[in-house]
Amino acid sequence: MSKNITALSGRKGLAENLFEQMGILTEPEGFLSKEDAEKLADEFLTGDASVYGASTFYDFTRPSNKGKKVYVCNGTACLCAGTQDKLKEDLGKHFKAGEIGEMCCLGRCHENSAFYYNGHNYSGASSAEVLSGTSVAAQEDFGDMYHAAAKGAGILTGKAHTLDDCRAVIEKLVKTPAENVLAEIKVSGLRGRGGAGFPTGIKLEGCRNAGGGRKFIVCNADEGDPGSYSDRYLMENQPHALLLGMLIAGYAAGADRGVLYIRFEYPESIDIVGRAIEALRAAGLTGENILGSGFHFEFKIIEARGAYICGEETALLASIEGQRPEVRVRPPFPVTYGLFGKPTSVNNVETLANLPYILNNGGAAFAKIGTAKSTGTKLLSLDSAFQRPGIYEVDMGTPLATVLHDLGGGFRRKVKALHIGGPLGGLVPTHKIGDLTVDFESFKTNGFLLGHASMVSLPEEFPMVAYLEHLFAFTAHESCGKCFPCRIGSVRGKELLQKAQSEDYKIDRELFTDLLSTLQTGSLCALGGGIPLPVYNALEYFGEELAQYFTAKD
């Protein structure tokens, strides 16, 4: 992290954003040329190497992106579904091999066969329909269909907010003292839904109590966990709940700017949220002096460019500033030194979308839902291995089996494990499903992680050793490179597993355990620190299957 670049980028602010300009200049050719990097460096008083180094980090601004016209999803859910080889073969009838690239999870995990073309995503039946034409370019966008239902309170899956609903919420907000709004959020017990589970009220309070002038609310909408599409559901079906949540968070924390960092792989989400913001603006529900209250709040959408590490809050902030998105050492924490060096609260989509309910019904009402330590509801993403794949909302504490069998209809194929909570989440063998309830404590007690609550189903025939290699390869590709354990350890793990499969070689069990321990204890963030969890789970529950690849234990 460079504090100089942070300060220089902050002088331009959000209106003339370095990262955004980097992306715009990338679009014609697919990458940022050295000439354009030099121009941006001059304009933003930043070194050429800093701009070029940042641009070459992202999947969709680096030179290897040049000439790509269509991108195939290489996410874990599509990998396990086994649909992508056939898709590449079909795309090869329309595009040259060098024109076909890859993307990391398009959030179409419920039907797979997913690819991105010309600003739109396609998947499932729509993929076949698009490709059946004489030209892909002649086809219009096809939407996707999946189940969305709730069992319990149903806070996030009900009827979408109208503009009249938004006006009523904001009228109540600006008539309530900010400290009272914050108090209700704290009483609610709402914890971050992005994976970490940190109390939202404490984070907002830290931002409010920080010194300085301008403060930011940043929505982490870079939903990169393979198998997850609950945030995409909210942005595309409940956009005003999210925007109201940001307004409420801003009011409580004393912030007047809201930034939505939305993943490039979700073009429909970017469009829908953008239109929702414009509708609020036209109705006088955002901007300066909202409803004559003296409360100001402006929204800004930043289109991400493909980097899983930007799901980590400090890397995300560095990205917006135009820096290479490397994880920052903490302290200082973002609530005191965040975007452009200003106090910032970073929250994920689902977390923020809960705030309108808390404002309207009170923190105590929210706290009554769920369990004592995991209050409220949780969205879960079910992949295509289920009879009824989709987004399901349940009260915290609901048996996991209820979600999978009663709501999801059970499996449509034989599955040996569920990878829950993204690549850093726990690998749950199917016989453990009955031991789990949907809450942070149950998963932790059983040696797993609820995280984002995505579900990737691992078929019985999928080799566990190949799956572990995939996890290490994913980590190696997505590592920011800031710390040695993650940058080097992820590659070494991938190499060991590859060698064990392709050669007459057995991995030294002690060496492998040391590698996992180094990753877990020495990594700066949850990417390197979290990848050992599913590996440990695999070694514990699928040790017999993996035994042939490892030396025997002493």
Side-chain angles (χ1 to χ4, degrees):
M1 177 190 73
S2 167
K3 290 187 176 182
N4 289 335
I5 296 177
T6 294
L8 289 168
S9 185
R11 291 175 64 181
K12 292 279 190 177
L14 294 171
E16 299 178 69
N17 180 258
L18 175 56
F19 176 68
E20 193 171 29
Q21 291 302 311
M22 196 184 298
I24 291 170
L25 291 173
T26 295
E27 290 175 359
E29 296 294 329
F31 75 105
L32 187 70
S33 68
K34 287 187 178 181
E35 293 74 20
D36 284 337
E38 290 171 358
K39 291 177 183 177
L40 283 179
D42 288 341
E43 182 181 348
F44 285 84
L45 303 178
T46 305
D48 299 356
S50 295
V51 175
Y52 191 71
S55 71
T56 55
F57 182 89
Y58 300 95
D59 287 344
F60 308 111
T61 59
R62 59 175 54 139
S64 58
N65 191 50
K66 184 178 181 180
K68 298 293 187 291
K69 293 183 178 179
V70 62
Y71 297 87
V72 175
C73 179
N74 66 0
T76 310
C78 282
L79 172 73
C80 290
T83 59
Q84 303 311 84
D85 287 343
K86 176 64 165 59
L87 175 61
K88 289 179 182 178
E89 181 182 331
D90 291 340
L91 287 171
K93 300 172 184 177
H94 301 275
F95 301 95
K96 298 176 183 178
E99 295 174 336
I100 302 174
E102 291 188 336
M103 276 187 169
C104 295
C105 197
L106 301 180
R108 300 295 184 105
C109 315
H110 58 288
E111 56 186 9
N112 312 121
S113 297
F115 69 95
Y116 170 97
Y117 174 71
N118 200 25
H120 294 293
N121 287 340
Y122 304 92
S123 57
S126 70
S127 292
E129 195 170 346
V130 169
L131 293 171
S132 66
T134 55
S135 170
V136 177
Q139 302 296 329
E140 298 297 328
D141 177 44
F142 289 84
D144 60 324
M145 298 292 293
Y146 53 85
H147 296 275
K151 183 178 179 65
I155 293 172
L156 301 173
T157 50
K159 185 179 177 182
H161 287 77
T162 65
L163 281 177
D164 286 341
D165 295 333
C166 292
R167 182 177 294 276
V169 170
I170 295 172
E171 285 177 348
K172 180 173 184 177
L173 175 68
V174 297
K175 291 177 181 177
T176 308
E179 56 270 22
N180 291 5
V181 174
L182 179 60
E184 291 298 326
I185 296 172
K186 293 177 69 177
V187 167
S188 75
L190 174 64
R191 295 168 64 180
R193 301 306 198 233
F198 190 82
T200 305
I202 292 177
K203 184 179 285 189
L204 293 173
E205 184 176 48
C207 186
R208 180 177 180 81
N209 292 341
R214 171 147 293 162
K215 298 178 181 179
F216 295 93
I217 299 296
V218 173
C219 174
N220 178 358
D222 194 36
E223 181 181 50
D225 285 346
S228 298
Y229 54 103
S230 53
D231 288 353
R232 182 171 79 85
Y233 161 77
L234 290 171
M235 286 188 282
E236 296 176 11
N237 295 276
Q238 307 281 353
H240 284 120
L242 166 60
L243 298 177
L244 287 172
M246 292 186 70
L247 279 162
I248 294 166
Y251 187 80
D256 66 351
R257 292 292 185 274
V259 182
L260 297 108
Y261 188 91
I262 307 179
R263 65 193 281 101
F264 180 88
E265 295 88 341
Y266 286 179
E268 290 80 14
S269 297
I270 293 170
D271 178 60
I272 291 170
V273 172
R275 285 190 274 117
I277 291 171
E278 290 307 312
L280 287 180
R281 183 171 288 115
L285 299 177
T286 187
E288 296 295 311
N289 194 26
I290 300 171
L291 299 181
S293 65
F295 173 49
H296 317 297
F297 199 85
E298 291 282 1
F299 289 100
K300 172 72 174 181
I301 292 177
I302 298 288
E303 187 174 326
R305 292 290 165 174
Y308 178 78
I309 195 63
C310 289
E312 197 280 336
E313 61 180 7
T314 62
L316 185 157
L317 297 176
S319 176
I320 297 173
E321 294 170 354
Q323 302 195 57
R324 187 180 174 91
E326 294 180 340
V327 174
R328 299 177 181 178
V329 177
R330 290 166 287 185
F333 293 93
V335 291
T336 57
Y337 186 88
L339 183 60
F340 305 133
K342 306 297 183 183
T344 303
S345 179
V346 184
N347 305 93
N348 98 310
V349 173
E350 186 179 346
T351 309
L352 291 163
N354 277 291
L355 295 183
Y357 179 92
I358 294 171
L359 179 72
N360 280 334
N361 299 279
F366 187 90
K368 288 180 181 177
I369 304 167
T371 70
K373 293 184 178 180
S374 295
T375 60
T377 65
K378 185 74 191 78
L379 295 177
L380 299 97
S381 310
L382 273 58
D383 71 2
S384 64
F386 291 88
Q387 296 288 351
R388 291 192 296 273
I391 298 296
Y392 295 103
E393 181 184 13
V394 296
D395 296 352
M396 286 282 201
T398 299
L400 181 61
T402 298
V403 181
L404 307 187
H405 299 299
D406 295 355
L407 296 173
F411 298 108
R412 68 172 73 201
R413 60 184 179 184
K414 291 184 177 180
V415 170
K416 61 183 175 183
L418 286 171
H419 199 169
I420 302 178
L424 315 180
L427 195 61
V428 181
T430 50
H431 73 266
K432 291 288 290 182
I433 289 172
D435 297 341
L436 297 170
T437 54
V438 181
D439 56 80
F440 298 111
E441 289 70 39
S442 172
F443 273 70
K444 183 177 180 180
T445 299
N446 283 277
F448 306 116
L449 180 74
L450 179 62
H452 212 126
S454 56
M455 306 278 171
V456 172
S457 303
L458 191 60
E460 278 195 353
E461 67 275 11
F462 201 107
M464 184 58 70
V465 66
Y467 190 75
L468 297 184
E469 179 197 337
H470 164 73
L471 294 180
F472 275 106
F474 176 86
T475 306
H477 179 268
E478 299 295 349
S479 175
C480 77
K482 181 70 173 286
C483 67
F484 292 139
C486 180
R487 186 177 76 203
I488 299 174
S490 58
V491 176
R492 293 295 172 263
K494 178 184 70 172
E495 290 173 343
L496 286 170
L497 290 162
Q498 285 176 338
K499 189 173 183 179
Q501 294 173 79
S502 61
E503 302 177 23
D504 183 18
Y505 174 80
K506 289 185 181 292
I507 302 170
D508 184 282
R509 188 63 176 261
E510 184 178 358
L511 174 68
F512 197 69
T513 301
D514 285 347
L515 173 65
L516 295 176
S517 177
T518 301
L519 279 162
Q520 195 168 51
T521 59
S523 297
L524 272 176
C525 80
L527 179 56
I531 201 65
L533 175 61
V535 182
Y536 279 130
N537 292 153
L539 292 170
E540 178 181 356
Y541 295 109
F542 298 93
E544 186 176 342
E545 179 185 341
L546 292 168
Q548 61 180 306
Y549 301 103
F550 291 85
T551 59
K553 290 183 178 180
D554 293 333

